[in-house]
Amino acid sequence: HEGTASTLQRQLWANWAWSSFEGPPPIQQASANTVESFGQQQALQSRDNGRRYNYEEEEEEVVEPVPGRRYNNAGQEDDQPLPDEPDAEDGFEDPVPAAEELGYDGFRDDAEQEEVVDPDSLEGGEDIVSEVEEEEDDDLPRREDDLALEEVPEEMRESVEGNMELKRILSTDSMTVSGTSKRRRQNSDDSLQTPKQPLEGAKAEVTVKWRLENDVASRYVLESAEMEDVERLLELNWMPARHEGQKSAAEQISERLIRQRETKCPPGTGVDVVLAFKHRSKLGAEEEKTLRELCHKDLRHVITHYDGTRPIDDLLNEAGMVMPEEDKTTDAAPQKPGLKALSRFNRLELIDPIADALVVGDANLTFSTLLAQHREGLGHVGRIVATTFETIETLRERYPEIDSTVKDLEDKSAEVLHNVDCTRLAVDPRFLGMTGKFGAVYYNFPHAGVVKGFFDGHPFVRWRHENLMHLFFRALRCFVKPDGTVKVSSNSNATGVRFSDIMMAASSNEFLHVETVPFLEWQLRTYRRSYGDRRDERRRPDDGDIYRSQRAHSDMVYCFRYAPTGSTPPKSTIRYPPSKTDLLTSNEGRFKGLSEAARRRQIEDLWNLFLTYVQGSMLDENGMGRAINADVLPDAAAAVR
């Protein structure tokens, strides 16, 4: 890499990168003067919202919950028996044991929450409406120390529009005893009723064909679907099964539509550099064959300069006249087989040695520690900004070693930030001045949190996982430098954050998919993974506790490169939640068999959870909501950080 090491060091790095995946390179440091000077300038202490933490203070005693018993939000034992959870029909299990039923009430956020009203106490015809205070349209979902919208640099405001839009929807929806608005019930004129607009085209046709005219959950799925995907289902003559024990019609339709969209993506399993380039450039089989036979120098030249305006043959002729530069790691081993040489870079994590690196959602900070050791061994001088979604107090409850881990990171000139929401970086005052600073970003096993009574793939809750990826990549546009890399680890069989969510969110924000590397081949695979929730207080995944349906060979590292074109990207893709009326009139998930009063109470609690989700806040000590930036993967096997 330019400007960081001698010619001898660069050659040794090149030889190491070519010959082996294992172990650190033989040169452990860059110029001592360079590192010492950089360390003096960049030595930073961990900070959180401007407050410095004393990492030596004693932990409070944590009372171990007893398996098989339920506890309320005050930590007191509840006499109520636990409901039995159905077995997952897709082979995935609920990641939170029944003894840890997750409560939604009893918490408060810095932003005003809506009050949960017992419908049994209401007089006939009275509304249950949100008490969230009305805000101006340009107000953001707020939490402590967030910047107000007018304080956000103008070029970054677009990156938080998705959160604003979701907040408006969740703050204005209301529910009445009859399932219609109070205004509608007060007016007896049927002509003033305003039902949902009827479905059109193929969406209306399949609703009638499948006899789902009164299925509000299926309607919710079809409303948000692309018309071409629904038309394809008609062509295939597919329809949801109605056999007892199957998933609901809405779940089956949602799954089928997602798989239909995924045919437009590269596969979720390993994808090499040439196949990824072929897919995004829409090349044919003959061109792919030619690329696979090129040497490293020529293949890199073609991939770097191809823009669709010139044929590949012209670029190949041009590549033959280009001489490699000896002081660039990217030009190492120029005559070696191109595909093998390029594959080394993402596996061995040979990133920009000068640029900063950002890690998000790293609950126990072991990945950040491994990355710091890796960069130190390569002689990098770029700093690491390691972030957790949780507060330091929550981390101390779950990870007794966290203070020591933070100190180790700080000793390596890393900066540690807690309570960071990776979808809302633009309103976090600690990220002011970091525009375009990051040359590498890491997010391991993203997940938007567990909702009790619903599997991750259920459409009533899956919108959160999809939005998480779209808002994450949109937020990164302001902070990643051109040609910077982003790596998102996930399981190829995940049904929460699916591989296609990652791919499509990256593509719509000008992050090019360059390769999918099997996790077990990645240099940074050996960090100590975690569940990312309160289960970590009692056990860790590497203690032998794994999810039953996931295997390590299905874990992938999806690799992207930021390639901004200078034009304004399309508006962020935001999947809307179901309305309260949809939840009230459906018979899905946790609402099956409930009385209307019980259903209303649970809907209000669930709505509070959704509202807190868009505010990027912790929910309660029970660990329910921490996973908005957690890299747990509860619906697929080794799905742990």
Side-chain angles (χ1 to χ4, degrees):
H1 290 287
E2 303 90 318
T4 63
S6 67
T7 300
L8 174 60
Q9 287 175 309
R10 284 188 288 271
Q11 186 59 47
L12 287 172
W13 284 345
N15 292 339
W16 167 68
W18 169 249
S19 62
S20 173
F21 289 159
E22 300 297 334
I27 297 300
Q28 297 297 319
Q29 293 181 332
S31 164
N33 293 336
T34 303
V35 176
E36 181 179 2
S37 174
F38 181 84
Q40 292 173 351
Q41 298 173 15
Q42 297 295 332
L44 297 171
Q45 292 186 343
S46 174
R47 54 190 170 86
D48 187 6
N49 289 336
R51 299 183 294 272
R52 297 190 182 275
Y53 289 103
N54 174 14
Y55 289 101
E56 301 300 326
E57 67 185 47
E58 297 182 359
E59 292 189 54
E60 295 183 5
E61 181 179 357
V62 179
V63 179
E64 286 286 331
V66 179
R69 299 181 183 176
R70 177 188 289 179
Y71 295 84
N72 59 25
N73 290 329
Q76 300 169 333
E77 186 173 347
D78 195 330
D79 295 332
Q80 295 299 321
L82 293 169
D84 293 332
E85 283 294 313
D87 291 334
E89 293 146 3
D90 58 359
F92 300 138
E93 65 178 342
D94 191 328
V96 179
E100 301 184 37
E101 181 169 2
L102 301 168
Y104 305 106
D105 54 351
F107 64 85
R108 296 289 297 177
D109 196 271
D110 299 300
E112 281 287 286
Q113 301 278 342
E114 47 184 1
E115 180 183 357
V116 179
V117 181
D118 185 350
D120 295 335
S121 66
L122 300 177
E123 299 180 0
E126 187 176 352
D127 282 329
I128 301 177
V129 296
S130 171
E131 297 295 334
V132 177
E133 186 175 341
E134 290 295 329
E135 303 177 12
E136 297 181 5
D137 286 347
D138 62 350
D139 278 353
L140 285 168
R142 297 296 301 280
R143 59 180 184 171
E144 185 180 2
D145 295 333
D146 273 356
L147 297 174
L149 184 62
E150 59 272 13
E151 298 176 293
V152 177
E154 188 171 354
E155 66 275 11
M156 295 186 185
R157 294 181 186 178
E158 185 272 339
S159 69
V160 294
E161 285 182 352
N163 269 304
M164 294 166 59
E165 193 169 353
L166 282 171
K167 173 67 181 300
R168 293 190 195 104
I169 292 171
L170 291 167
S171 298
T172 57
D173 198 0
S174 62
M175 174 176 58
T176 66
V177 173
S178 64
T180 59
S181 72
K182 183 175 181 180
R183 178 179 178 182
R184 292 174 192 164
R185 286 188 297 99
Q186 288 177 336
N187 196 316
S188 60
D189 187 350
D190 291 340
S191 65
L192 294 182
Q193 300 295 320
T194 56
K196 291 184 177 181
Q197 294 296 318
L199 298 174
E200 298 179 349
K203 296 180 181 181
E205 190 174 344
V206 296
T207 302
V208 175
K209 180 179 179 179
W210 298 337
R211 299 181 181 178
L212 297 174
E213 297 93 330
N214 297 320
D215 190 326
V216 295
S218 296
R219 179 192 173 93
Y220 165 72
V221 173
L222 290 170
E223 281 178 334
S224 60
E226 296 291 337
M227 186 65 76
E228 63 177 318
D229 293 333
V230 181
E231 291 171 348
R232 180 60 178 161
L233 293 187
L234 269 178
E235 294 174 6
L236 296 174
N237 202 30
W238 178 88
M239 64 185 303
R242 294 182 177 273
H243 303 298
E244 185 177 357
Q246 291 283 348
K247 296 179 181 179
S248 69
E251 291 176 274
Q252 295 178 62
I253 296 169
S254 175
E255 175 70 19
R256 184 69 186 206
L257 288 169
I258 291 171
R259 293 192 180 278
Q260 186 66 37
R261 291 202 306 270
E262 288 177 347
T263 61
K264 306 170 187 176
C265 296
T269 52
V271 175
D272 64 35
V273 174
V274 171
L275 185 57
F277 178 66
K278 172 191 174 184
H279 185 274
R280 71 173 185 264
S281 302
K282 298 178 173 57
L283 303 179
E286 287 300 319
E287 293 167 309
E288 178 187 1
K289 182 180 178 181
T290 299
L291 293 173
R292 291 185 179 278
E293 297 173 351
L294 297 179
C295 66
H296 178 205
K297 175 178 71 70
D298 293 351
L299 180 58
R300 183 177 290 278
H301 183 85
V302 171
I303 290 177
T304 302
H305 294 91
Y306 182 79
D307 59 4
T309 61
R310 301 167 60 191
I312 287 181
D313 288 341
D314 286 357
L315 291 173
L316 286 177
N317 293 332
E318 183 178 275
M321 297 182 289
V322 174
M323 297 301 293
E325 299 182 32
E326 293 184 359
D327 60 347
K328 287 188 176 181
T329 304
T330 53
D331 286 346
Q335 298 305 316
K336 295 291 185 179
L339 180 57
K340 284 188 176 181
L342 281 178
S343 297
R344 299 305 198 255
F345 282 83
N346 283 319
R347 285 166 172 78
L348 295 176
E349 206 56 38
L350 302 179
I351 60 175
D352 186 340
I354 300 175
D356 295 344
L358 172 67
V359 182
V360 300
D362 190 13
N364 61 8
L365 293 173
T366 56
F367 178 82
S368 299
T369 300
L370 181 61
L371 177 62
Q373 294 169 352
H374 173 75
R375 299 197 75 185
E376 184 179 56
L378 290 174
H380 289 192
V381 293
R383 66 172 180 160
I384 293 174
V385 179
T387 73
T388 71
F389 182 71
E390 302 85 349
T391 62
I392 186 60
E393 293 81 8
T394 299
L395 294 177
R396 284 174 176 153
E397 294 174 1
R398 295 176 184 168
Y399 314 109
E401 73 282 4
I402 194 65
D403 291 343
S404 174
T405 305
V406 171
K407 185 178 185 303
D408 288 344
L409 282 167
E410 292 179 333
D411 288 345
K412 292 179 171 58
S413 298
E415 182 173 12
V416 182
L417 303 177
H418 305 292
N419 195 25
V420 173
D421 179 358
C422 69
T423 70
R424 298 157 50 84
L425 300 178
V427 297
D428 193 322
R430 295 166 293 180
F431 283 83
L432 288 175
M434 296 189 189
T435 305
K437 294 291 186 182
F438 296 111
V441 179
Y442 305 88
Y443 193 175
N444 290 318
F445 300 98
H447 192 271
V450 179
V451 176
K452 191 67 174 178
F454 289 97
F455 293 113
D456 282 335
H458 195 288
F460 277 1
V461 298
R462 210 195 81 81
W463 60 273
R464 297 152 50 253
H465 301 291
E466 188 173 353
N467 287 347
L468 173 59
M469 286 294 94
H470 282 278
L471 295 174
F472 165 65
F473 277 101
R474 183 53 58 101
L476 289 187
R477 287 180 55 85
C478 302
F479 297 96
V480 178
K481 60 188 298 186
D483 289 325
T485 64
V486 177
K487 290 184 173 67
V488 180
S489 303
S490 187
N491 189 271
S492 59
N493 296 322
T495 58
V497 174
R498 299 177 73 110
F499 79 89
S500 55
D501 297 329
I502 300 170
M503 297 274 196
M504 292 180 177
S507 177
S508 65
N509 288 287
E510 301 184 315
F511 290 86
L512 303 181
H513 175 235
V514 296
E515 189 175 9
T516 300
V517 176
F519 187 84
L520 294 179
E521 297 179 13
W522 193 25
Q523 182 78 2
L524 301 180
R525 67 189 179 278
T526 57
Y527 68 100
R528 189 182 186 191
R529 301 168 75 176
S530 66
Y531 292 108
D533 57 35
R534 64 191 176 107
R535 288 173 292 173
D536 288 328
E537 298 174 24
R538 301 186 303 280
R539 61 186 183 275
R540 303 289 176 84
D542 49 7
D543 295 334
D545 190 356
I546 63 171
Y547 297 106
R548 64 184 179 188
S549 298
Q550 187 181 24
R551 297 294 179 265
H553 69 263
S554 298
D555 290 342
M556 299 290 153
V557 183
Y558 300 95
C559 308
F560 305 92
R561 177 174 61 85
Y562 186 37
T565 61
S567 59
T568 303
K571 188 177 180 181
S572 290
T573 301
I574 297 298
R575 192 73 64 184
Y576 296 129
S579 68
K580 288 184 178 179
T581 301
D582 290 338
L583 297 174
L584 180 66
T585 55
S586 72
N587 195 32
E588 301 284 321
R590 62 189 294 181
F591 303 127
K592 291 179 181 178
L594 293 181
S595 66
E596 181 173 319
R599 182 174 299 200
R600 289 177 178 280
R601 284 192 293 269
Q602 293 215 16
I603 289 173
E604 289 297 336
D605 291 343
L606 186 59
W607 211 251
N608 279 341
L609 170 67
F610 289 167
L611 187 61
T612 307
Y613 158 76
V614 301
Q615 292 167 179
S617 303
M618 299 288 292
L619 294 187
D620 58 21
E621 70 259 15
N622 289 332
M624 177 57 204
R626 66 97 14 229
I628 183 174
N629 272 10
D631 48 1
V632 299
L633 203 55
D635 54 351
V640 285
R641 330 183 137 213

